[in-house]
Amino acid sequence: MDKSPIGQGIPETAHEILPPAVLGTRVPPQTAPAGGSLWNHDFRLFFAARTVALFGDGMVPVALAAGLLGAGRSASSVGYALGAWMGPFAAFVLFGGVLADRFTPRRMMVIADGLRLVGASVLAVSFLVLHGGPPLWEVYALSAVSGVGAALFQPGVASTVPRICADVQRANAVLGVAEALMGMAGPAFAGVVAGFWGAGAVFAVNASTFGVSGVCLFLLKPRGSAGSEVRRGGLFTELAGGWREFRARSWLWGVISIWTVYGLTVLGPATPLTAVLVTEEHGAGTYGALMAVNGAGSVAGGLLALRLRPARPLATGALALLGVSVALLSLGLGLPVFALGIGQFATGAAFAFWLVMWSTTVQTHIPPEALNRLHAYDVAGSLLMLAAGRALAGPVAEAIGPEKVLLVGAGLNVGAVAVLLAVPAISRLRRIRPGPWPDPCEG
């Protein structure tokens, strides 16, 4: 799946609590979408950094699988290595949000790229030089370092976009399309490289992507400095202040609360059960092809978000999520591969469109001083429930059957959309329209 002053308690006035669109006011210039060119100098740098890094990220699972299995390690070691990444990410992402607000997102993202560059480089050397590959403790430790780097990096993405270009929705849509394309290209490229030169070469390319990303971000000069004039407290004080800011916005915590249940009951089980059912019934090749179709759907959803600018973005995005039920129903009913392809395309398009609507809403309605921390709460909650849903998918499927789990998930998906539309704070939240200020990207 991919939002005020801190440390002063819950705001007491309506002007501080309600989003600007409800009050009929506008957000500060650096966060308001206005006219102007998207492809300014800073956005080109940021686009290059994100595209290259996402391409590298897509290579990691392939590199780990090729390296560890090729060295005679068990299949479970690959899962443990990926888990060693996810654990530190989930544990540190909230602190990453605080640090990004305190020290600027750009600085934290450059540091994060540096950490991941070192980790990937050491793995590259170890797989290339050591006979039998590196010891497992080294793989797990460096995966954990990469997870910490991702935790420091991710919160800053949310606040960087509105600081480098005023057309936030268009920027998010372009980045979403690039992410979908890199999600397909990265693993495919890694498979070719691993086949010819081994896992060490894949990690070497992965390390170079972090180097390119870090250089591009270092050259970035976003307008404004998040919280540079805001009085700061201690680390835990600011973390608690971010939580108060989070609770003060009913549309924000409402969506995330619904999303945590959604991740546990729908999204979490869908990924592993789709892989199992398709692979068992139609083979691994078909599963790979369906994932490519899902990626093509993501591209289509991003392109649609480039064109469509609904007045109520969360309501429109919620309606798009009905496409997820198409994939769950086609799998649960055991339909032919063609129908499964339609379902995967619909799911990819649905999620891509929703993510652009959600990201744009968060980035334009939340003041920059708190954006990194609130985005971190969003990521942490979603990630934990998604992981829990994946872990519970197997036992529940064994008890009642995977097809029933997916069919129930299709119904729950419709229910989640209905709840999103039924909550006025969510469904009636309006898009912030361009203000009269000059485009902060130009000049």
Side-chain angles (χ1 to χ4, degrees):
M1 304 35 269
D2 275 57
K3 318 194 180 28
S4 28
I6 301 297
Q8 300 176 2
I10 299 177
E12 296 180 356
T13 67
H15 188 276
E16 291 172 307
I17 295 176
L18 295 177
V22 175
L23 294 167
T25 61
R26 293 184 174 93
V27 293
Q30 66 265 33
T31 62
S37 171
L38 173 68
W39 293 98
N40 61 80
H41 177 262
D42 281 338
F43 184 76
R44 287 197 298 269
L45 285 172
F46 188 69
F47 178 82
R50 294 300 297 136
T51 302
V52 171
L54 290 168
F55 178 77
D57 287 342
M59 301 170 67
V60 172
V62 177
L64 286 172
L68 293 175
L69 296 179
R73 307 292 187 182
S74 65
S76 61
S77 66
V78 180
Y80 293 146
L82 294 174
W85 180 93
M86 182 169 289
F89 177 82
F92 286 98
V93 69
L94 293 179
F95 295 99
V98 173
L99 293 173
D101 276 334
R102 179 182 287 260
F103 298 113
T104 76
R106 184 181 71 94
R107 185 177 302 170
M108 297 312 301
M109 289 191 290
V110 171
I111 292 172
D113 276 339
L115 280 176
R116 296 187 288 182
L117 169 62
V118 171
S121 298
V122 174
L123 280 175
V125 173
S126 297
F127 274 111
L128 287 170
V129 174
L130 297 179
H131 179 70
L136 286 177
W137 68 262
E138 178 183 323
V139 176
Y140 299 158
L142 292 173
S143 293
V145 169
S146 181
V148 173
L152 297 177
F153 188 99
Q154 184 60 39
V157 174
S159 64
T160 298
V161 172
R163 291 180 182 282
I164 60 176
C165 199
D167 195 339
V168 178
Q169 179 176 326
R170 190 178 174 205
N172 283 323
V174 169
L175 292 169
V177 171
E179 180 176 358
L181 292 173
M182 293 305 101
M184 294 185 287
F189 180 80
V192 174
V193 174
F196 281 99
W197 297 287
V202 181
F203 278 113
V205 176
N206 181 229
S208 70
T209 64
F210 292 127
V212 172
S213 173
V215 170
C216 290
L217 293 171
F218 181 79
L219 296 174
L220 201 66
K221 298 186 183 299
R223 299 298 177 91
S225 180
S228 58
E229 300 178 359
V230 177
R231 186 176 180 180
R232 296 293 183 188
L235 187 67
F236 288 97
T237 299
E238 292 195 27
L239 195 62
W243 175 250
R244 289 191 292 269
E245 292 286 342
F246 175 81
R247 290 191 305 159
R249 292 166 173 82
S250 57
W251 64 269
L252 181 67
W253 63 255
V255 171
I256 295 177
S257 297
I258 295 168
W259 206 256
T260 55
V261 178
Y262 187 70
L264 179 67
T265 59
V266 180
L267 291 189
T271 301
L273 294 183
T274 298
V276 170
L277 285 177
V278 173
T279 302
E280 288 181 348
E281 294 293 328
H282 307 285
T286 300
Y287 176 69
L290 288 176
M291 291 303 98
V293 171
N294 184 289
S298 297
V299 173
L303 293 175
L304 180 62
L306 273 172
R307 305 284 300 178
L308 187 62
R309 295 176 181 267
R312 297 180 178 181
L314 294 184
T316 307
L319 286 172
L321 288 175
L322 291 173
V324 177
S325 291
V326 178
L328 298 176
L329 286 172
S330 63
L331 284 163
L333 295 174
L335 298 181
V337 173
F338 179 75
L340 299 182
I342 294 175
Q344 289 301 318
F345 186 90
T347 293
F351 274 123
F353 187 81
W354 160 261
L355 287 175
V356 172
M357 295 298 108
W358 170 246
S359 298
T360 302
T361 300
V362 170
Q363 292 164 356
T364 55
H365 281 78
I366 293 177
E369 300 86 23
L371 182 53
N372 296 302
R373 272 167 288 179
L374 298 192
H375 177 62
Y377 276 112
D378 176 13
V379 172
S382 301
L383 181 66
L384 290 174
M385 289 300 102
L386 189 64
R390 290 179 178 178
L392 294 174
V396 175
E398 290 177 0
I400 66 174
E403 293 84 1
K404 288 184 179 179
V405 175
L406 292 170
L407 291 175
V408 170
L412 292 174
N413 181 73
V414 175
V417 171
V419 173
L420 287 170
L421 295 176
V423 178
I426 298 172
S427 62
R428 296 181 184 176
L429 190 68
R430 302 187 70 85
R431 178 171 66 92
I432 292 182
R433 299 183 182 278
W437 315 284
D439 186 345
C441 302
E442 297 187 340

